[in-house]
Structure formats: structure tokens, C-alpha cells
Amino acid sequence: KELDIPTISTGNILRAAIKNGTPTGMKAKSFMDAGDLVPDDVIIGLVTERLGEPDTEKGFILDGFPRTSAQAVALDAELSKLGRPLSAALLIDVDSEVIVKRLTSRRMCKDCGYEADAQCPKCGGEMYQRDDDNEATVRNRLDVYEKSTSPLIDYYRGCDLLVSIDGDRDPNVVYADVKKALEL
């Protein structure tokens, strides 16, 4: 909001597709419920489509994408076609046990999707735990991350785009460090 650019979250795009019962959403649901990555072709198509929308012209933040080397290469190719190369690949580095604790304790509003710990401060809606935020699924997601996603750290380091921030701190401190590192 502060930068007036969209955050493109593949997770949110997929959850909306599931909620709307689209074929892509139903295909993705079985993978997500197990904590596995949704196939590259599905994700790449969704992100490519989203990057073509007018609100991305001033910039965008990708959240949860890319997660594999194939996705990174496809993203580079798409952004090259659009004449908008990445300015940075941000790694918020957090200890695995902290991630498990954070994800298994988060709740989302059934009405507006806001994340909080109690009743939604935004709309007063009821909070719930996502199906994929149980401990077994979170730990599986971390295993998948190590196998499929962590190689992107070296990929973006090699492209001289990697910016790493210690995420094991207060969110306001992390955010301030992100802004400073990205010169925002």
C-alpha cells in the first residue's frame, strides 16, 4: 500500500480459484492440502496473466513466486518480454522452528481474509485456521522448500539480485530493514 503497487501472492490467487471452484483451483487444491508445490505450468500461467494487468505497470511485489528454477527462468523470460526486469529477489530468512510456530498459530478472517490472532480488527469477522497451516503440512512445506526452492537463493545470488534480511525479529524492524535494503 505504501508503495502503491500490488502484491501478487500466488497463494491468494490459488485460494481464490479454489473458493470460486475454478478448474485451476480444484487442480491446485490437492497439492496445496498436502503441502506440495502446485505444478509449474499452473503457477506460471496464473502469474503471467496477472503481470499483464495494468496495475503492475509501476511495479509489483511477488509473494510465493518463483519457487522453482523453472519458474524463475519463466519469470525472467516473461519480464524480459514486458521490458521490466526484476530489481531484487528478497529473502526473509527465518529459522524453521519459528516458521512452524508462526504458521500453526496464524488465523485468517473468514469474511475478508485479514490475518490476525483474535477477532478480525478490520471487519469484526470470525477467525479460522487454514487447512494447510497444521504442523505436519507446514513441516512438509519446509521440506519441499529445501528441495525445490532453496536453490533459488544461489540462482538470484548469481544474478546479483539477492537481498537477504533476518526475519527472526519484530515485523516492524524487518520491514524497516527491507525498505532500507531495497532503497525505498
Side-chain angles (χ1 to χ4, degrees):
K1 289 180 185 178
E2 183 178 331
L3 301 173
D4 193 31
I5 59 174
T7 298
I8 300 170
S9 165
T10 53
N12 289 347
I13 292 170
L14 286 167
R15 281 185 287 281
I18 290 167
K19 183 177 181 179
N20 295 329
T22 69
T24 301
M26 296 302 95
K27 182 177 179 182
K29 185 174 182 350
S30 62
F31 293 96
M32 292 172 67
D33 285 348
D36 293 328
L37 294 179
V38 176
D40 286 345
D41 62 319
V42 174
I43 296 296
I44 291 166
L46 287 169
V47 172
T48 298
E49 185 177 289
R50 180 66 181 89
L51 289 174
E53 294 181 23
D55 67 337
T56 67
E57 289 177 10
K58 293 189 307 185
F60 52 87
I61 297 171
L62 292 171
D63 175 16
F65 183 87
R67 292 205 178 186
T68 67
S69 297
Q71 289 177 5
V73 170
L75 175 63
D76 288 346
E78 185 61 29
L79 292 176
S80 179
K81 285 184 210 170
L82 296 171
R84 297 187 283 164
L86 286 181
S87 58
L90 182 63
L91 169 66
I92 309 276
D93 198 13
V94 181
D95 180 81
S96 295
E97 290 307 310
V98 173
I99 292 171
V100 170
K101 182 178 178 192
R102 286 179 182 174
L103 293 182
T104 57
S105 65
R106 80 174 164 180
R107 301 294 182 266
M108 297 185 75
C109 178
K110 285 187 177 184
D111 297 327
C112 72
Y114 186 83
E115 289 184 30
D117 295 331
Q119 184 177 27
C120 180
K122 211 171 160 186
C123 74
E126 179 186 346
M127 304 303 284
Y128 76 101
Q129 183 177 34
R130 288 180 9 192
D131 292 341
D132 61 344
D133 278 348
N134 65 71
E135 185 171 347
T137 303
V138 169
R139 289 194 184 280
N140 186 57
R141 283 163 50 196
L142 288 170
D143 289 341
V144 169
Y145 171 85
E146 283 303 316
K147 294 173 190 154
S148 301
T149 306
S150 65
L152 292 178
I153 295 169
D154 290 334
Y155 176 83
Y156 284 115
R157 186 176 286 126
C159 296
D160 201 30
L161 291 172
L162 187 71
V163 175
S164 185
I165 302 292
D166 177 4
D168 278 344
R169 299 169 297 148
D170 179 88
N172 294 319
V173 173
V174 173
Y175 182 58
D177 281 357
V178 166
K179 286 175 42 177
K180 182 178 176 185
L182 298 178
E183 299 175 2
L184 300 175

